[in-house]
Amino acid sequence: MGYRYSDDGIIVVRLSIEIYAESLLFLQLNLIMSSLQLTNIGQLVSYNSKISGMETLEKIQIAIDDGIITEIGNKVNDADRHIDCKGKLITPGFVDSHTHPVFLNGREDEFAMRLKGTTYKEIATKGGGIINSVNDVRNASQRELFDRVFSRMNRFLSVGTTTIECKSGYGLNTESEIKSLKVIDEVNNSHKIDMVATFMGAHAIPVEFIDDPDEYVKLICDEMLPAVARQGIAKFNDVFCENGYFNIEQARMILSEGANKGLVPRLHAEEFENSGSAELAAELGAVSADHLMNVNDVGIEAIAEAGVIATLLPGTTFFLGSSNYAPYKRLENAGVNIALATDYNPGSCYIHSMPFIIALACIFMKMDVMSALKAATFMSAKSLQLEDKIGSIEVGKQADMVIWDLERIVQIPYNVSNHPIRNVIKSGELIF
Ligand code: NIG
Ligand code: FE
């Protein structure tokens, strides 16, 4: 048994066990405790279900038992362990409700091509983009993918993300999509972070079906969705509804067939062009329509009426060097619920930090900080249908929170490039 530093700068203990070593390593740091008391909290900022809005409490204490928040008040019961928060800020752990982490290698060569002026879509047309990651994933063993995904989850947790939605979608055949979902499940079972799986066989048309995309849609409906439902890991079904990927009819077919099999629809909508995919999300009662950079007033009206959450991903606009941010103000004025997420993926957005996404939302979409925090916690939990368990600091909820080395929430986006986090608490366990 020796010691080393992992890529993340986290001290890990090297065990001589070969299998899934990295998974055991990260957990060594957790201080497992049955009850915990947080005192001397300067400010607690969180969604409050009783008032249906954000709330700031000052000079407050929190009691946690068995991973659940049991008390919030001026003086709570003593516990086995105690953390003095030294007058600092506490927020809920972040919920990242849109990521694509099951890939093998980064695609930095495409990033370099974009710096020379080639667009994301042009790269995809030349066989790069999502398809570039597919060969890797098809050839990778489950173990190789496990290791990559596991160490990515360390990074997410270290910047305060306590629950994360993870999509498959770089396998694009039954075997490799099932393998990707299995990897998500295995990492979820061995890592402190909570992962929620989404099947995204409809991420791109694989090369073998390029001349007959409808045949691939048929494969998704007749073979993949039944296999995914039998496997029982995925909760959601997502489609990249976009010119050059899946059209409205194809997306409708895939999401309806998935819903028949118990998979809740969510949708990549209006990312590069307006196609009416927001209206489709409304028609199908999707839980979320994501991206929406090119949504028009008809689409906004439709999702407002249907109660579809708009998951905005400003990291993608930023990473692609575009200035076309989603129309936050118009969505907000129409009464649409807004969530924020990273869209972490190897192509269009290699960003894993929710605090950075909050900064982008504030700076470029003019979101006020309180709304951005709500969107990155409670609303993203709602888009995963988990708002009764996570997304806010309330009695009865899972104790997922961030203790900052900051006093005020405006300091979160103000510290654009560093995240002064003192502790992450996940299900009542101290991670750092
Ligand atoms: O959300 N839009 C579709 N999928 C990703 C891109 C994935 C990739 O390029 O690998 C996205 O932007
Ligand atoms: Fe995406």
Side-chain angles (χ1 to χ4, degrees), residues 98 100 107 110 120 129-130 133 170 200 203 240 268 271-272 291 313 316 343 345-349:
H98 183 138
H100 306 255
R107 304 210 306 265
E110 294 180 5
Y120 180 83
I130 294 165
S133 296
Y170 294 111
M200 200 172 178
H203 198 189
F240 190 12
H268 279 62
E271 181 177 352
F272 293 107
H291 283 296
L313 309 163
T316 312
D343 194 23
N345 74 73
S348 65
C349 187

Side-chain angles (χ1 to χ4, degrees), residues 408-421:
R408 304 166 58 204
I409 63 163
V410 68
Q411 292 171 322
I412 297 174
Y414 178 69
N415 282 275
V416 183
S417 65
N418 69 317
H419 309 319
I421 289 175

Side-chain angles (χ1 to χ4, degrees), residues 99-175:
T99 80
H100 306 255
V102 194
F103 59 90
L104 204 68
N105 297 314
R107 304 210 306 265
E108 54 282 344
D109 291 345
E110 294 180 5
F111 179 79
M113 284 167 78
R114 281 201 302 279
L115 304 185
K116 293 197 173 127
T118 317
T119 66
Y120 180 83
K121 281 210 132 180
E122 284 162 356
I123 291 168
T125 316
K126 288 180 190 146
I130 294 165
I131 293 303
N132 194 350
S133 296
V134 169
N135 289 338
D136 278 2
V137 166
R138 286 183 179 175
N139 293 327
S141 69
Q142 206 170 298
R143 168 69 205 282
E144 276 174 298
L145 283 171
F146 177 98
D147 286 346
R148 298 294 167 100
V149 175
F150 193 94
S151 68
R152 283 172 196 141
M153 291 306 124
N154 290 350
R155 270 177 224 145
F156 280 98
L157 192 56
S158 73
V159 289
T161 296
T162 46
T163 299
I164 181 168
E165 183 258 14
C166 301
K167 302 176 200 295
S168 68
Y170 294 111
L172 307 189
N173 62 28
T174 307
E175 187 195 337

